[in-house]
Amino acid sequence: MAEVAAGSSAAPAETADAALRNRTSLRPLLALKPYLARHPLMVALTIVALTMAAVATLVLPLGVRRMIDLGFAGGNGAFVDRYFGVMVAIGMVLALASA
């Protein structure tokens, strides 16, 4: 029983070394380089689409929070309508970028 307790208390340096050894390599992705080099425009458009989708996904909760905090608290229906339109536009950007 003492052996189990002694073995379970690994030093932080040992766990960090083990994590580095178990880390997967990205080297196999280099095999894609010739295929990606043939289509630089497609790669650039893919990066743009991924960035747009990420930004739209991050902006969506902020818009909802602002609509709820400022629109419903003040009882301003026009403000809620305007922000709902913005939310629809963000949803369209997200749909376009995801497509």
Side-chain angles (χ1 to χ4, degrees), residues 52-72:
M52 284 176 43
V55 168
T57 302
L58 292 172
V59 167
L60 199 59
L62 296 174
V64 170
R65 179 178 52 180
R66 185 165 165 85
M67 181 176 63
I68 290 172
D69 289 347
L70 300 177
F72 294 127

Side-chain angles (χ1 to χ4, degrees), residues 24-83:
T24 57
S25 173
L26 296 177
R27 187 163 300 222
L29 292 177
L30 288 176
L32 296 174
K33 189 175 180 180
Y35 302 107
L36 295 176
R38 288 187 215 160
H39 307 284
L41 180 62
M42 187 67 73
V43 171
L45 290 175
T46 301
I47 291 171
V48 168
L50 284 172
T51 304
M52 284 176 43
V55 168
T57 302
L58 292 172
V59 167
L60 199 59
L62 296 174
V64 170
R65 179 178 52 180
R66 185 165 165 85
M67 181 176 63
I68 290 172
D69 289 347
L70 300 177
F72 294 127
N76 189 356
F79 188 81
V80 173
D81 290 342
R82 186 172 51 230
Y83 262 90

